[in-house]
Amino acid sequence: MLPALLLLLGAAVLRGADTLPDQNLLLLPPVNLTIVVAGLARALLRWAPHPDQVRQNVTVDYHVRIHGPQEDEYETRSTVSTCVAPLHQGLSASVRAIVRDHGRLQAASRWVSAELEPPPGPPGTAAVNLTCTTNTAAGDGTHAARYQVSLHCAWRAGEAAPADTQYFLYYRFGAETHECREYSRDSLQRNIACWFPRTSIHSKRRDRLAVLVNGSSRLTAIRPLDRLFALHAIDQVNPPRNVTAEVQGARLSIEWQKPVSAFPSHCFDYEVQISDTGKAYVQTEKRTVNAFTSVIDNSSRYCVQARATVSTTCRAAGLWSSWSPPFCLGSDAQKPSSKQLLMALPAAVCFALLVCSLVCRGCHLWTRLFPPVPTPSSNLGDLLAMSYEKAGSQDTETVVISYVDEPAAETLEHTEF
């Protein structure tokens, strides 16, 4: 019995030794590494094992390192690898062969490298400031098209682009690539924005959106521009629907429905804003459910609004929606406050005085109520004659008094009655 156990133990040790990598194992680097464009913002890397590599009882993996435009590294057992990255600045990568034992690196070859040259075109001719947003709308009601995602992108023409440059936009999501059909143009009739009312984008998937803007000109080559967008970073969430409020005594109850979105109800966070219009007071609350109750002064007028964002439990943090239209209730609008009355009283008094002044001026009431007081002349020499009538029994006698200025003295001449 004991000899048999020793034989079995020895066989097991020999089998284990055969599976261990040779400490003197020499790994040769891969050969024929190439990088080619395989689609919009997608490159294909290919290589082959070294033909002189000695076959041993080990598993050879490959360590891939992307140097630019975005650094990345990973391991694979295949000799073909797809790299998703912007390619308008070219791409460089390196590959080496490795052997691991229980996660620990046991042997590695030297690196081999290759480069993908940037597309042709002078600097400054490519489009700049490329931005994109997505939005979800209700579909045709069928289960397959319950929601429809639109896409809007905008950019500016490059500073060195000739005046006859024309730009064109393409997007890729998953395996599907589409060309824009609806453009907006600048004053030189160059395309500077694109609108896709319907796309193949699925907002719940984690694929990145690839967008390419290339161009053409009769004078020079136009360098393309491509970018990758994470959907959560560009998705413009719709505001909550059917926001309603009700006052019961001193309690304000607010309810709403989830936004139009492919995400279910539990995937949203909300903010509720309550505005007291009479006191210029705003209260903001965060909620994970579509209802909220607050204690209020029921003699005031209130307006409520809500906005939403997709929760981090369902995808990475993204944008908040715009606020929903305000829903107002209460009677404070018919009860002006004392502050409003104090502000309105001086204005009313000034307006009444202005009206009275205009009426009096138009009807000459000031002249009738306050006639002007006559004043004597300051120069007696300007008074040439003064006459008055003396009433008699039958005739009227006239007396004329004349004043003559003399250098030495003043003489008064008169006639007798």
Side-chain angles (χ1 to χ4, degrees):
M1 186 66 179
L2 182 58
L5 291 176
L6 291 176
L7 289 174
L8 292 174
L9 181 59
V13 170
L14 290 175
R15 285 197 301 269
D18 291 339
T19 61
L20 289 176
D22 188 354
Q23 298 298 326
N24 298 320
L25 175 64
L26 176 63
L27 288 180
L28 297 178
V31 295
N32 300 331
L33 174 62
T34 58
I35 306 175
V36 296
V37 177
L40 200 162
R42 180 160 51 186
L44 187 66
L45 284 68
R46 290 181 181 272
W47 62 89
H50 198 287
D52 297 331
Q53 179 67 57
V54 178
R55 294 181 178 273
Q56 300 187 28
N57 191 20
V58 293
T59 301
V60 177
D61 295 332
Y62 297 98
H63 183 189
V64 181
R65 179 174 290 171
I66 307 298
H67 304 292
Q70 297 175 352
E71 293 188 359
D72 189 17
E73 59 181 312
Y74 52 90
E75 295 180 6
T76 178
R77 291 186 179 178
S78 174
T79 57
V80 178
S81 177
T82 300
C83 175
V84 177
L87 302 178
H88 63 273
Q89 295 179 344
L91 179 72
S92 62
S94 299
V95 180
R96 67 175 179 174
I98 61 173
V99 172
R100 289 188 178 276
D101 179 37
H102 296 89
R104 297 179 60 185
L105 182 64
Q106 297 296 320
S109 73
R110 64 178 179 86
W111 292 95
V112 293
S113 301
E115 290 189 5
L116 177 68
E117 295 295 329
T125 58
V128 295
N129 294 350
L130 174 62
T131 59
C132 294
T133 57
T134 59
N135 182 254
T136 301
D140 56 12
T142 63
H143 181 74
R146 190 175 178 183
Y147 299 102
Q148 188 62 54
V149 178
S150 62
L151 172 65
H152 180 267
C153 295
W155 61 91
R156 290 193 300 107
E159 294 183 357
D164 71 334
T165 301
Q166 190 56 279
Y167 294 100
F168 305 96
L169 182 138
Y170 303 81
Y171 84 86
R172 178 182 60 79
F173 188 80
E176 297 187 34
T177 300
H178 299 273
E179 180 182 359
C180 181
R181 301 297 182 186
E182 298 185 25
Y183 288 102
S184 299
R185 296 178 173 85
D186 62 9
S187 59
L188 298 179
Q189 296 303 306
R190 297 179 297 193
N191 297 334
I192 56 170
C194 170
W195 165 249
F196 289 92
R198 301 172 63 89
T199 67
S200 60
I201 300 172
H202 298 277
S203 56
K204 295 176 65 176
R205 286 170 52 179
R206 299 184 181 273
D207 303 50
R208 288 187 293 177
L209 173 69
V211 178
L212 167 69
V213 179
N214 62 15
S216 63
S217 170
R218 292 173 295 179
L219 303 177
T220 184
I222 304 299
R223 182 171 292 186
L225 170 69
D226 56 348
R227 285 193 61 187
L228 291 171
F229 297 93
L231 291 185
H232 70 271
I234 65 171
D235 185 26
Q236 184 59 61
V237 181
N238 292 307
R241 297 174 296 155
N242 300 330
V243 178
T244 59
E246 181 182 8
V247 175
Q248 296 178 340
R251 296 174 66 86
L252 174 65
S253 300
I254 308 169
E255 293 184 354
W256 59 89
Q257 295 178 343
K258 86 173 186 73
V260 175
S261 173
F263 286 95
S265 299
H266 71 271
C267 286
F268 288 94
D269 292 333
Y270 300 98
E271 278 191 355
V272 185
Q273 184 172 277
I274 306 172
S275 303
D276 186 335
T277 59
K279 299 178 181 178
Y281 171 74
V282 178
Q283 175 186 355
T284 303
E285 298 288 341
K286 292 185 179 292
R287 285 292 180 269
T288 57
V289 294
N290 59 339
F292 175 67
T293 301
S294 178
V295 178
I296 61 169
D297 177 7
N298 58 7
S299 64
S300 296
R301 179 177 175 80
Y302 293 91
C303 292
V304 298
Q305 294 175 282
R307 65 176 184 171
T309 187
V310 179
S311 170
T312 54
T313 59
C314 296
R315 75 174 184 190
L319 304 174
W320 281 90
S321 73
S322 59
W323 290 100
S324 64
F327 182 93
C328 299
L329 69 167
S331 57
D332 189 57
Q334 290 81 30
K335 298 179 181 180
S337 63
S338 58
K339 183 178 180 180
Q340 292 175 328
L341 291 176
L342 291 175
M343 294 176 62
L345 184 59
V349 172
C350 292
F351 180 75
L353 292 176
L354 179 61
V355 172
C356 291
S357 175
L358 294 176
V359 171
C360 291
R361 178 174 294 183
C363 299
H364 303 287
L365 293 179
W366 291 115
T367 305
R368 296 179 182 181
L369 294 175
F370 305 101
V373 178
T375 58
S377 175
S378 60
N379 188 356
L380 295 178
D382 295 337
L383 183 61
L384 299 179
M386 179 179 67
S387 63
Y388 64 90
E389 293 182 355
K390 182 178 180 183
S393 57
Q394 294 180 350
D395 298 329
T396 301
E397 295 180 352
T398 301
V399 178
V400 179
I401 302 175
S402 300
Y403 296 91
V404 179
D405 292 334
E406 293 293 340
E410 183 177 282
T411 304
L412 177 64
E413 296 183 358
H414 63 89
T415 58
E416 294 183 355
F417 290 91

